[in-house]
Amino acid sequence: MNKFWSEAVKRTEPYVPGEQLNDPNIIKLNTNENPYDPSPQVTEATQNELKRKLRLYPSPDADGLRDELGRYFKLDRDYIFAGNGSDEVLAFSFMAFFEQHAIVRFPSITYSFYPVYAKLFNVPYEEIALNRDFTLPAENFFGADGGVIIANPNAPTGLYLDTAAIEEIVMNNPECVVIIDEAYIDFAPASAVSLVKQYPNLLVVRTMSKSRSLAGLRVGFAIGDPGLIEALNRIKDSFNSYTIDRLAIAGAAAAIRDEDYFQEIRQKIISTREWLISEMKIRGFHVLPSHANFIFVSHYKASAESLYQRLRESGFLVRHFQKPEIENYLRITIGSDEQMEFFLNALDSTILSSAGSTVQD
Ligand code: PMP
């Protein structure tokens, strides 16, 4: 604590992202990055931009990218806001739609950035308990006072709520904004973007970091009624006119254009996930049904903490959260087939056997 700190700094409890180790021998399965490179068209577009335009400021409204997203989602660009990663879009959304006197609801187990934003912006919140199986009790989100934010699929569980249930939550909160954070939706059946024209209180937040392999470029976006998008623009323009740089605008637009590449890697990850789930079950893991690019698992015998440590020693980084309800779970990002084979071999040869926890015993 420093005497020069503002009250906002004093009350924050910053989010702690998963470790970014630069050791090439480590297989990183801890931050839900995509194991595949971005589309070659992204490299080409960013290189072209690099050659030409860095002298000039980018479009303050990321027009090139919003137009591309508009074509993709068949929506006017007034329905789209783009930002420097979806974390920034979420932070702006808290500022734009949530108040200091009205309680916002989010699940007790979810993306741990939500309480961080709430504290930073002095927004009161209520954490709604999930069911014992980690499913979300939709009706407990009806009639919220200050707003709702839900990650769908949820993180770190990977569980997905269908569009009908999302619609119920949106319909039952006509007086406040419902934010659906769809960071992982491209690995799930359907997006709530189909509802935005019908509901002026629905904001869907998406990212290019996961399914489009662009975590390093930092691009996220929101889709919602033009009234909500205008509010986000007002916040952005009171904060930083140019949140997305030229390389990011050009690269993200190119990634959206390359639909074939996107479908190919998305499908690969989904099939690796389904294969990995069955392999993990054979090895005595309880695996939640995931609709994301990660799985959430616990072992019937070996503790998550000890598995986490043993995996780390064997060169695999996964995510373990020190939260009582989920302390016996690990979140494992879906890597390439080859990485997951190494991972399973490591489990078989050292980790599970040295934990005395093979399925046979
Ligand atoms: N929402 C959820 C649920 C996430 O897991 C993440 C990734 N940490 C984000 C948003 C942020 O993604 P980004 O800022 O890379 O777009």
Side-chain angles (χ1 to χ4, degrees), residues 15 31-32 84-90 110-114 117 151-155 181-184 205-210 214-215 218-221 294 319 331:
Y15 173 74
T31 47
N32 300 339
N84 193 267
S86 60
D87 281 339
E88 183 187 78
V89 178
L90 291 167
T110 191
Y111 186 33
S112 41
F113 229 133
Y114 305 154
Y117 296 133
N152 191 39
N154 198 8
D181 176 355
E182 292 193 338
Y184 302 101
V205 177
R206 305 274 290 253
T207 179
M208 309 284 293
S209 298
K210 316 294 178 180
L214 291 178
R218 310 304 302 129
V219 180
F221 56 95
F294 56 84
R319 196 88 200 255
R331 193 194 68 189

Side-chain angles (χ1 to χ4, degrees), residues 186-304:
D186 287 326
F187 308 104
S191 163
V193 168
S194 58
L195 303 173
V196 295
K197 281 209 154 171
Q198 233 176 312
Y199 296 99
N201 63 326
L202 168 64
L203 188 79
V204 179
V205 177
R206 305 274 290 253
T207 179
M208 309 284 293
S209 298
K210 316 294 178 180
S211 58
R212 306 272 174 176
S213 298
L214 291 178
L217 206 61
R218 310 304 302 129
V219 180
F221 56 95
I223 300 186
D225 184 82
L228 301 184
I229 300 305
E230 188 185 342
L232 289 171
N233 277 316
R234 290 174 74 100
I235 295 287
K236 176 187 79 68
D237 290 332
S238 310
F239 178 82
N240 173 4
S241 305
Y242 311 104
T243 52
I244 319 188
D245 65 54
R246 283 185 169 275
L247 301 184
I249 292 173
I256 297 291
R257 272 193 298 276
D258 198 348
E259 178 69 8
D260 289 348
Y261 185 84
F262 164 69
Q263 291 298 348
E264 187 189 324
I265 60 171
R266 184 176 85 92
Q267 286 304 338
K268 266 204 238 179
I269 290 169
I270 292 173
S271 54
T272 305
R273 177 186 74 200
E274 295 310 308
W275 163 72
L276 182 69
I277 289 176
S278 57
E279 291 293 324
M280 295 296 278
K281 285 183 177 166
I282 293 169
R283 288 165 177 80
F285 283 92
H286 167 60
V287 189
L288 264 58
S290 168
H291 280 103
N293 68 337
F294 56 84
I295 56 172
F296 200 51
V297 306
S298 67
H299 194 261
Y300 83 107
K301 207 164 171 191
S303 78

Side-chain angles (χ1 to χ4, degrees), residues 156-206:
T157 62
L159 296 187
Y160 166 76
L161 204 58
D162 65 22
T163 312
I166 297 288
E167 185 169 12
E168 286 261 300
I169 294 172
V170 176
M171 260 170 29
N172 282 287
N173 282 290
E175 299 306 319
C176 57
V177 172
V178 175
I179 300 174
I180 305 297
D181 176 355
E182 292 193 338
Y184 302 101
I185 199 70
D186 287 326
F187 308 104
S191 163
V193 168
S194 58
L195 303 173
V196 295
K197 281 209 154 171
Q198 233 176 312
Y199 296 99
N201 63 326
L202 168 64
L203 188 79
V204 179
V205 177
R206 305 274 290 253

